[in-house]
Amino acid sequence: MAEVLSTPNNDLVNELLIAKLLEEDMRLLESLRAAEEFQLNEALSISALAAGRFPKKHRSDVLGRTDQDVVLDVFQAEINATKDAVMAQALQHADDTNMATSRQYAQRLAAAEKKARLDAEFAKRLQQAFDDGEDDDEVMRDAESMLGQDEIDIIMASDMNEKGKGKGQAGVPHAGAPVKKETGTESQLPSLQPTCGICMEPFQATHSPVAAARSANSSSRLQFGTHLPCPSSHGYCISCLNGYINSKLDPDGTGIASQSTVVFPIRCPECPIAEWPEGIADALAERVLSEKGMTLWHHQKLLDSLPRYYCPNPRCSALVQVDEDAEDPQASCPSCNSVICVPCRVVWHEDLSCEEYQALPLDERSPEDQEALRLMRAKNWRRCPSCTMIVELTHGCNHITCRCKTEFCFKCGALWDVQPNRCSRVPSCDLWDEQLLLEERERMREEEREQGRPMGAQAGAAVRNQHHLPPPPPYNAQPAPVYNHNPPRVAAGAFDWMDDPDILCTRHWFTANMINSLTCQYCDTKLTSIADLRYHLSRVRWHSVYACCGRFFKREEDLERHLDSVSVRFGGHLDTIRRN
């Protein structure tokens, strides 16, 4: 504080010194003026005597005031005004110095009073522990372990004296840090404070940030905050945690709970979903949110607990308010005005009761259902077990999260167990299903074939050039592919010999080219692996497949000629496959 007050005092001394120098200059000018006036009078007297005239008595006021006299008077008035301003400024600096000294003393007094209150409470607890007969080793603990961090926060946050509350008050160390003795120059140690995971600023950890912020009146102290009960115990200040929760409860800022979106559970901003699925509890929200925020919290939680019903009209899918009256199974969509059957979850079925409609097979209920089911089977889609929405797996694993927040297995449709991160069916499905990926690739090949796009043309041309085969006719001249929608089923494991070196005949050029190039020699389709090639040959619908004794045959007559011969290698024909 001495260094702070030294600068105004030095300025005051400098200004007084300048004023004194100006005053000396004025006195010098007045002396020069008097000397000049005296010399002028002497010169006039001498000239009058020389002319024979008797000089009259000279009076300075007869000569009148000159411009120099006026300038000197104005200069003197300015000097007097400067002296008055310097004196007023000196008085103001003295008042500010006294005010700063008093404020600092009040801060020291308030800090000492808080420390005394803390020591008194600590001594009271120690005395009570001694009276209860506890051992000395158990009793002799520090203030934090004896009182608890929450009570220490309340004592340090309270205002002993409103007038003694100053700026720059040091923050309270977080839980686990030693209690520091307060001095006259209270310094804040940011390294001892936890850091908010959103704004990356230090905050003061406390059990109830809302209560602590309500009792503290200083706006310059650290923000209060808390740690979430997640496995990593992430900490956030009250402002960021409030903003994060409100962005979930009220993303549009309307102050109204959302009826179309499922909000809960509100999870930790940094933890993965599987690591802390339960999310923020009501007890923690009460220690963070305001009264208005808790009202919105409970309102949204009530809406999330109600069953969600979406319009079954495929052109709408809006959220519908369903009446719980069991005698009236109908509901009306507010968006498309469709009449809906609530128990059946479909557009209202005319001339049929709910029992009669549900007794019908799925593919006979309506033309739209038939088309949707056919498309669903062709595209390998699944239904959500909760809201019955159709879900498509375009990439990724079998763990699906529907828009209604239901998590299920895409392969079998069973609910997903979040904690062990696996399917709830016993035995559980694999997280990654290679067979499902092979089905998806084969389905895409069929779609490309139906759209008339050539598949594997470059790979097929390379094989023909290698064996000097005649080129195929132009693609535009090829007839449209004829599909066998019910091809003969191939027994499971019929093509397992493709990766068995004891059975696979690598000397047969047609078979060797198919295995080595991973290209179907029947349709020139380029495959990605032996498993992909095996699946393609067992499921393809646009060409035939002929195989026997570890070989593939281009034509059926080649297979017949082989079957008419005697198999010396195996003593009989092995793994004969004929798919027409």
Side-chain angles (χ1 to χ4, degrees):
M1 190 66 186
E3 295 180 357
V4 176
L5 296 177
S6 61
T7 302
N9 291 335
N10 292 336
D11 295 339
L12 180 61
V13 171
N14 293 334
E15 292 179 0
L16 291 174
L17 182 60
I18 293 172
K20 184 173 291 187
L21 293 175
L22 293 175
E23 186 176 2
E24 291 179 357
D25 292 341
M26 285 297 301
R27 291 175 180 174
L28 181 60
L29 290 174
E30 289 180 356
S31 300
L32 293 175
R33 176 186 175 189
E36 291 177 356
E37 185 177 359
F38 179 75
Q39 291 178 357
L40 180 60
N41 293 332
E42 289 295 328
L44 291 175
S45 300
I46 293 172
S47 61
L49 291 174
R53 298 192 302 270
F54 182 80
K56 298 180 179 179
K57 185 178 181 181
H58 178 72
R59 294 179 59 186
S60 58
D61 54 352
V62 177
L63 297 177
R65 294 176 59 83
T66 63
D67 294 340
Q68 187 177 7
D69 298 333
V70 176
V71 171
L72 291 175
D73 293 340
V74 173
F75 196 23
Q76 181 67 37
E78 290 181 356
I79 291 176
N80 294 333
T82 302
K83 291 170 64 176
D84 295 339
V86 169
M87 184 61 67
Q89 189 176 5
L91 293 176
Q92 183 64 37
H93 280 310
D95 292 340
D96 294 341
T97 301
N98 294 333
M99 183 66 69
T101 304
S102 302
R103 185 183 298 112
Q104 185 179 17
Y105 179 74
Q107 290 178 358
R108 293 181 181 178
L109 185 61
E113 191 170 353
K114 290 181 182 180
K115 185 63 169 58
R117 182 179 174 184
L118 184 64
D119 293 340
E121 188 68 23
F122 181 46
K124 180 180 178 181
R125 296 290 180 88
L126 286 177
Q127 184 63 41
Q128 183 178 357
F130 279 121
D131 294 341
D132 293 340
E134 297 184 12
D135 296 335
D136 294 344
D137 295 337
E138 296 181 357
V139 172
M140 296 307 296
R141 294 176 291 179
D142 57 3
E144 184 176 357
S145 60
M146 177 66 72
L147 300 178
Q149 186 63 37
D150 294 337
E151 188 166 353
I152 294 177
D153 291 344
I154 294 175
I155 294 175
M156 300 304 294
S158 60
D159 290 332
M160 301 293 105
N161 190 340
E162 289 291 337
K163 295 182 180 180
K165 193 82 171 179
K167 298 182 179 179
Q169 182 178 355
V172 180
H174 70 287
V179 178
K180 300 291 183 179
K181 292 184 178 181
E182 298 187 23
T183 60
T185 56
E186 297 174 350
S187 60
Q188 192 169 331
L189 300 177
S191 60
L192 298 179
Q193 305 293 345
T195 302
C196 175
I198 297 178
C199 66
M200 306 308 294
E201 294 291 336
F203 67 91
Q204 182 176 335
T206 182
H207 178 71
S208 178
V210 170
R214 191 182 300 117
S215 61
N217 296 325
S218 176
S219 60
S220 62
R221 66 178 297 127
L222 285 177
Q223 287 200 77
F224 293 101
T226 189
H227 292 272
L228 298 182
C230 58
S232 301
S233 187
H234 293 121
Y236 305 97
C237 65
I238 185 173
S239 298
C240 293
L241 195 55
N242 256 306
Y244 171 72
I245 296 177
N246 288 328
S247 67
K248 301 292 185 180
L249 297 176
D250 188 16
D252 299 329
T254 58
I256 303 175
S258 175
Q259 298 183 1
S260 59
T261 306
V262 178
V263 175
F264 289 93
I266 299 179
R267 299 181 173 91
C268 173
E270 298 179 76
C271 288
I273 296 177
E275 188 173 342
W276 196 45
E278 54 270 19
I280 299 175
D282 295 347
L284 178 59
E286 292 176 354
R287 302 197 304 265
V288 174
L289 297 178
S290 61
E291 183 177 354
K292 182 179 179 181
M294 284 306 301
T295 302
L296 186 61
W297 173 282
H298 291 302
H299 190 193
Q300 184 65 53
K301 202 159 193 179
L302 177 62
L303 291 177
D304 286 0
S305 64
L306 300 177
R308 300 277 171 153
Y309 189 90
Y310 297 92
C311 177
N313 186 353
R315 300 179 182 86
C316 178
S317 300
L319 186 66
V320 180
Q321 185 72 27
V322 176
D323 191 2
E324 297 182 357
D325 186 5
E327 298 181 357
D328 186 11
Q330 291 184 347
S332 179
C333 176
S335 179
C336 64
N337 297 323
S338 298
V339 181
I340 303 166
C341 179
V342 177
C344 300
R345 291 180 173 268
V346 295
V347 179
W348 181 252
H349 38 76
E350 296 289 343
D351 302 328
L352 288 175
S353 64
C354 293
E355 292 78 7
E356 294 173 345
Y357 180 82
Q358 294 177 6
L360 294 175
L362 292 178
D363 55 353
E364 295 181 4
R365 295 185 177 181
S366 67
E368 292 80 5
D369 289 341
Q370 297 177 16
E371 185 65 26
L373 289 173
R374 282 196 296 268
L375 183 62
M376 182 176 165
R377 295 191 190 99
K379 300 289 187 180
N380 196 23
W381 294 341
R382 296 287 185 271
R383 283 186 182 273
C384 173
S386 178
C387 67
T388 68
M389 282 294 299
I390 297 177
V391 179
E392 178 185 12
L393 178 63
T394 57
H395 61 275
C397 61
N398 289 326
H399 181 193
I400 300 297
T401 302
C402 183
R403 71 175 186 177
C404 68
K405 303 295 183 179
T406 301
E407 302 180 36
F408 63 95
C409 176
F410 186 83
K411 184 176 181 180
C412 66
L415 294 176
W416 193 266
D417 198 345
V418 179
Q419 288 291 350
N421 194 24
R422 64 185 180 186
C423 173
S424 60
R425 193 187 71 166
V426 179
S428 60
C429 302
D430 295 331
L431 184 62
W432 294 92
D433 189 357
E434 183 181 7
Q435 187 73 10
L436 189 64
L437 298 177
L438 295 176
E439 291 178 7
E440 179 66 17
R441 292 196 189 101
E442 188 63 24
R443 183 182 62 81
M444 293 176 62
R445 294 188 192 105
E446 290 184 2
E447 291 181 354
E448 292 178 355
R449 192 85 179 184
E450 291 176 355
Q451 295 173 3
R453 285 180 287 181
M455 302 178 59
Q458 296 179 355
V463 174
R464 292 188 182 90
N465 293 335
Q466 181 179 358
H467 295 281
H468 307 288
L469 297 177
Y475 180 77
N476 294 333
Q478 290 182 359
V482 178
Y483 293 95
N484 184 3
H485 293 281
N486 296 304
R489 298 187 63 82
V490 178
F495 290 102
D496 289 347
W497 52 266
M498 291 175 60
D499 49 10
D500 188 352
D502 296 332
I503 300 177
L504 182 65
C505 183
T506 57
R507 294 177 297 174
H508 189 255
W509 69 269
F510 188 78
T511 305
N513 287 336
M514 186 176 297
I515 298 298
N516 295 333
S517 63
L518 294 179
T519 303
C520 177
Q521 299 298 309
Y522 298 104
C523 61
D524 294 335
T525 299
K526 186 68 176 176
L527 289 312
T528 60
S529 62
I530 293 293
D532 196 11
L533 176 60
R534 183 187 297 115
Y535 189 88
H536 169 72
L537 294 174
S538 61
R539 297 293 192 275
V540 66
R541 297 184 299 154
W542 58 80
H543 64 71
S544 303
V545 179
Y546 308 105
C548 185
C549 298
R551 303 178 183 180
F552 289 101
F553 299 93
K554 182 70 174 178
R555 300 170 298 178
E556 187 175 8
E557 50 266 29
D558 297 334
L559 175 62
E560 295 294 341
R561 187 165 50 251
H562 169 76
L563 293 175
D564 293 339
S565 63
V566 178
S567 177
V568 180
R569 185 182 178 191
F570 301 107
H573 295 293
L574 182 66
D575 295 330
T576 302
I577 299 173
R578 181 188 280 110
R579 297 188 70 239
N580 294 321

